Amino acid sequence: KLAGPVLLLHAEEDERVRVEHSKEFEKAAKKAGKRVELVELDDELHELAKEESRVLWFEKLTAFFERSLAAPRAAEAIAPDEVVAPAAAAPESAPANIERGEAL
């Protein structure tokens, strides 16, 4: 019942979860016509101990999000002049930082 694309990461030397679990998931998802990608890291452990593995993972993750979350068509993007300005004041129950438009 996957509703969207899935990105899996698995280290070949993972001592906690066998890599076969991710391979089986990938195979079943593809058979069901779902979008799934598996990134396998050779000579790596469950916790991604090597810096180059973490960098590669974040590069793969960033590319996955860019592909998966991109607007289907540029025409659907909101033009800057179409953005609706926030209300002048937040409800009385809102914290002070929200009333000023600050990040939490």
Side-chain angles (χ1 to χ4, degrees):
K1 295 185 178 189
L2 297 175
V6 174
L7 177 65
L8 300 169
L9 167 74
H10 214 111
E12 289 289 333
E13 302 300 320
D14 191 328
E15 68 281 356
R16 296 184 185 132
V17 181
R18 295 179 315 142
V19 71
E20 288 79 17
H21 289 240
S22 289
K23 290 179 179 181
E24 290 171 15
F25 182 95
E26 177 192 34
K27 183 178 177 180
K30 284 184 175 180
K31 185 176 179 180
K34 305 299 182 177
R35 275 186 44 204
V36 62
E37 299 174 44
L38 173 59
V39 177
E40 295 181 61
L41 299 175
D42 297 329
D43 194 34
E44 184 55 271
L45 301 172
H46 181 85
E47 61 277 357
L48 301 182
K50 298 176 185 175
E51 181 179 1
E52 61 266 22
S53 296
R54 293 188 303 272
V55 169
L56 175 64
W57 170 239
F58 285 116
E59 290 171 349
K60 297 284 189 179
L61 187 59
T62 299
F64 175 79
F65 283 145
E66 287 172 348
R67 284 189 311 276
S68 302
L69 300 177
R73 290 176 275 163
E76 293 178 5
I78 299 173
D81 60 332
E82 294 179 20
V83 175
V84 177
E92 292 198 24
S93 62
N97 63 333
I98 293 177
E99 291 177 16
R100 293 188 304 270
E102 296 174 5
L104 295 175

